[in-house]
Amino acid sequence: MTKITATLAAAGLALSALATPAFAEPIEIKIGHSSEGTIQLPGAGRAAGIRAFENYVEVASGGDIQVEVFPNGSLGNARTMIESTQTGALEMVGAYTSIMVPFAPEIGITQIPYIFRDNLTAWKVMNGPIGDDLADVFMERTGLRVLGWADGAGYRHIYSESPIQSPADMQGMTMRVPENPGLLAMFRAWGANTVTITWAELYTGLQSGMAEGHDTELYSMYSKKLYEVNPYVTMSRHSFNLHPLMINEEFFQSLSDEHQTIVLQGADLYTRVANAHSLASSLVVQETMEGEGAVFYYPTAEEIEQFRSLGQQPYIDIITRRIGDDGQAWVDRIMAAAAEAQGQI
């Protein structure tokens, strides 16, 4: 009886073990980006959007997916983080349009000077067919899926050591410009000399005299305290900036259908939160910067037209050549989409 009882007990334990589901390790998503890790105002819309993505995905998946965020460029500069996501060292990356252009020149059409009248026009265009098609091109070239085209702190402006009111004031100045060939061509058309300095090294580059000025968005300039070396702000609004959120496509396809849906829903939330936060920041950052010594100048309509007429076509010429045979078609498409969106707002 003792042997029979022991045998039955052992069998029962074995069956119980088989019937108890094994708890799988959570899926880990590592996201790298160059903005701050905290939500603040003024602040980066990307930081707020990624926190919203993180919270939504972890809750909606019931903890099956865990998100780890690496802010402040702690994993390298934007290009390095894109390449790390390509190799799978990172699952996701928050990037920006200018750094995406070397990987896929078609992305450059989103920064054509003066193409978007306002933030709402840009959001509507990028949430439509042309945003989808640009995402397809980028994924084909890089293996990264664009999950959302979020507002990247709005428009780019001009910052300098001395006042700039029109292109004539930039003659011979050395300006730091990012790796977008169109932006480089635009500044050269305005009469400036150009130099490319990484974002992480920009403050010291301006401080040492490598460049006398630069262009970026207001909050980006404020966050790095670049007004300490470039106190004059010309509100040129010459190009719109985007902060896309991207995921390694091979990793994305490894997820279950349910988890893919959760990631896509989280990305939609990322875009909405980042857009709203970026716009809110743009409304308060000027006052904050003025309180710390920045001097703002709003060009007249005639001066803006000088910037546009001198800079837009050289930008278009260079990016159409970089894109190739379909270059002008891409330009025509986004111009038509912008005009249509503007008419609907």
Side-chain angles (χ1 to χ4, degrees), residues 320 323-329:
T320 52
I323 294 171
D325 293 341
D326 296 331
Q328 190 59 50

Side-chain angles (χ1 to χ4, degrees), residues 111-122 151-159 215-220 235-242 279 282:
Q111 290 190 311
I112 292 174
Y114 302 101
I115 191 169
F116 297 133
R117 180 188 64 181
D118 49 41
N119 300 64
L120 292 177
T121 299
D151 189 320
Y155 288 90
R156 303 181 76 86
H157 307 286
I158 300 169
Y159 314 91
D215 88 314
T216 191
E217 314 77 44
L218 273 182
Y219 177 69
S220 299
M235 297 292 282
S236 54
R237 292 170 58 90
H238 53 268
S239 288
F240 195 79
N241 202 52
L242 296 161
L279 186 57
S282 71

